């Protein structure tokens, strides 16, 4: 399991539209989160050094690792809704 530093929720028009999760410093937390994402979501649709993304039916998932700060960040964004 990864050690998390913070979880932030973003609401618009009283609806949850995004969640950002920041792991505590260290490559171990990055590796644990990446392995879990790939296990649950499969291979990333887009991948470049230290950045992955999955474009799902109702959400966009972005995951990256900043080597300078040794921090992993996961962002889950809902796609535009009409309500």
């Amino acid at each position: 399991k990864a050690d998390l530093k913070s979880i932030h929720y973003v609401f618009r028009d009283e609806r949850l539209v995004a969640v950002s999760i920041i792991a505590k410093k260290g490559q171990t937390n990055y590796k644990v989160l990446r392995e879990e994402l790939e296990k649950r979501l499969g291979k990333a649709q887009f991948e470049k050094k230290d950045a992955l993304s999955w474009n799902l039916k109702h959400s966009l998932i972005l995951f990256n690792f900043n080597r300078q700060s040794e921090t992993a960040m996961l962002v889950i964004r809902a796609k535009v809704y009409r309500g």
Side-chain angles (χ1 to χ4, degrees):
K1 293 186 176 183
D3 292 320
L4 303 180
K5 181 177 179 180
S6 65
I7 301 174
H8 297 276
Y9 302 93
V10 178
F11 292 88
R12 182 176 44 200
D13 299 328
E14 298 182 12
R15 292 181 185 228
L16 178 66
V17 294
V19 176
S20 68
I21 299 169
I22 299 174
K24 289 186 178 177
K25 197 173 192 177
Q27 277 199 345
T28 301
N29 288 319
Y30 162 73
K31 288 177 183 176
V32 168
L33 284 171
R34 181 178 175 150
E35 287 172 6
E36 189 64 27
L37 285 165
E38 289 176 333
K39 180 176 141 185
R40 292 176 183 253
L41 302 172
K43 183 171 172 47
Q45 293 162 330
F46 172 81
E47 184 173 351
K48 67 177 193 176
K49 186 175 181 168
D50 301 325
L52 305 135
S53 68
W54 293 263
N55 187 2
L56 307 176
K57 183 176 181 178
H58 298 290
S59 61
L60 178 64
I61 298 175
L62 309 166
F63 181 63
N64 72 351
F65 182 68
N66 182 311
R67 291 193 180 272
Q68 189 172 17
S69 66
E70 291 190 346
T71 303
M73 182 169 73
L74 171 65
V75 176
I76 304 166
R77 274 188 35 215
K79 291 187 176 176
V80 176
Y81 67 92
R82 301 200 191 316

